[in-house]
C-alpha cells in the first residue's frame, strides 16, 4: 500500500511539472500571437486602388520589421526555456517563482514591441525595449543558476562543462541586450545607431559559446 501511495505521489509531481511547462509554453505562444494583433490592415474610406494598397502596406513595413525582430527573439527565448526544462526532473517553490518572474517579462513584450513600432526613433523607447529583452534573459540566467545549485531538480546539473556553457551562453546574450540599452544613453549619435543593431551579435556569440563547449567537452569524451 505504501508503495502505491509513493507511485501516486511521483505521478502527481510529474503531472505538476508538466503543468509548469505547458503553462510556460502557453504564455510564450500568446505573447508571440499578440505581436501581430497590433499591426492593423490599412484602412481606406473608399475601395483602394492597387497602388494605394501597396503604399498603405509599405507604410506598415517598419511595424513588420519590429514584429519579425520580436518574434525571432521571443522564439530564441522559448528554445532556451524549452532546452532547459527538457533537463528539469523536479521543482520547488523557488523554481516556480523564478519561472513566473521570467514569464512576467515575456508577457510585457507585446507592449514593448508595439511601443517600439510607434516610437522606435526615440532613444527612451529603444532603451525600454532592450531592457525588456535583457530582463527576460536575466531571468533565464537565474533559472540556469538555480537548477545548477539545486542539483536534485535537473538531470544535467552534475555536468559541469554543460552548465558552464549554459551560464556563458545566457550571460553573453544578456550583455548584448544590456549594451543595446546603455548605448542609447550615450551622447554620440553613432553609438545610438549601433544600439539598434546589437541584435546581430547574438548569433555569432551563440556560435562562439557552442564551439567553446564542443572544444572543452572533447577530452572528457575520449578519456
Amino acid at each position: 500500500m505504501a508503495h502505491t501511495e509513493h507511485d501516486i505521489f511521483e505521478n502527481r509531481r510529474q503531472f505538476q511539472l508538466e503543468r509548469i511547462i505547458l503553462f510556460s509554453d502557453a504564455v510564450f505562444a500568446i505573447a508571440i500571437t499578440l505581436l501581430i494583433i497590433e499591426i492593423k490592415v490599412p484602412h481606406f474610406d473608399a475601395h483602394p486602388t492597387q497602388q494605394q494598397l501597396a503604399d498603405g502596406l509599405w507604410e506598415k513595413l517598419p511595424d513588420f520589421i519590429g514584429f519579425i525582430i520580436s518574434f525571432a527573439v521571443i522564439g530564441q527565448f522559448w528554445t532556451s526555456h524549452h532546452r532547459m526544462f527538457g533537463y528539469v526532473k523536479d521543482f520547488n517553490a523557488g523554481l516556480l517563482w523564478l519561472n513566473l518572474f521570467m514569464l512576467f517579462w515575456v508577457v510585457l513584450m507585446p507592449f514593448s514591441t508595439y511601443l517600439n513600432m510607434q516610437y522606435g526613433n526615440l532613444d527612451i523607447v529603444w532603451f525600454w525595449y532592450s531592457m525588456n529583452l535583457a530582463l527576460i534573459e536575466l531571468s533565464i540566467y537565474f533559472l540556469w543558476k538555480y537548477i545548477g545549485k539545486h542539483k536534485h531538480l535537473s538531470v544535467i546539473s552534475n555536468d559541469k562543462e554543460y552548465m558552464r556553457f549554459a551560464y556563458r551562453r545566457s550571460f553573453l546574450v544578456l550583455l548584448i541586450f544590456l549594451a543595446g540599452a546603455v548605448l542609447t544613453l550615450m551622447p554620440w549619435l553613432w553609438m545610438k545607431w549601433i544600439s539598434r543593431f546589437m541584435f546581430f551579435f547574438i548569433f555569432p556569440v551563440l556560435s562562439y559559446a557552442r564551439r567553446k563547449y564542443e572544444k572543452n567537452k572533447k577530452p572528457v569524451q575520449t578519456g
Side-chain angles (χ1 to χ4, degrees), residues 40-44 50-61 64:
K40 307 298 183 183
V41 174
H43 175 73
F44 303 93
Q50 291 193 66
Q51 185 59 47
Q52 289 173 329
L53 181 58
D55 292 341
L57 290 173
W58 180 258
E59 292 176 359
K60 296 289 182 178
L61 182 61
F64 277 106

Side-chain angles (χ1 to χ4, degrees), residues 6 19 35 42 58 77 83 90-91 97 100-101 121-122 124 134-135 137 148 153 155 157 178 184 191 199 221-222:
H6 177 73
R19 285 188 64 196
L35 294 176
W58 180 258
F77 287 138
R83 185 184 305 110
D90 200 358
F91 67 93
W97 284 108
L100 281 173
F101 178 69
N121 60 309
L122 301 178
I124 188 62
L135 287 166
E137 189 61 49
L153 297 179
V155 299
S157 298
L178 286 176
T184 62
M191 283 193 173
F199 295 97
Q221 292 181 332
T222 57

Side-chain angles (χ1 to χ4, degrees), residues 7-36:
D7 288 343
I8 292 173
F9 176 77
E10 290 297 330
N11 291 336
R12 185 185 299 122
R13 294 288 293 182
Q14 184 62 34
F15 173 69
Q16 290 173 325
L17 177 59
E18 290 175 359
R19 285 188 64 196
I20 296 169
I21 297 171
L22 291 172
F23 176 75
S24 301
D25 286 347
V27 171
F28 274 104
I30 292 170
I32 283 181
T33 303
L34 290 176
L35 294 176
I36 196 64

Side-chain angles (χ1 to χ4, degrees), residues 198-217:
M198 289 301 298
F199 295 97
F200 293 103
F201 290 97
I202 292 177
F203 296 106
V205 162
L206 295 181
S207 177
Y208 160 77
R210 170 59 66 175
R211 288 198 307 269
K212 190 172 181 64
Y213 167 65
E214 295 290 342
K215 179 180 178 182
N216 291 340
K217 77 172 185 176

Side-chain angles (χ1 to χ4, degrees), residues 151-184:
K151 299 187 182 301
H152 68 284
L153 297 179
S154 171
V155 299
I156 199 71
S157 298
N158 290 321
D159 187 340
K160 295 182 179 179
E161 194 57 48
Y162 185 85
M163 294 308 295
R164 277 195 291 267
F165 162 66
Y167 300 153
R168 184 185 303 116
R169 188 178 187 273
S170 187
F171 185 71
L172 289 173
V173 173
L174 171 62
L175 288 181
I176 289 174
F177 291 135
L178 286 176
V182 171
L183 287 176
T184 62

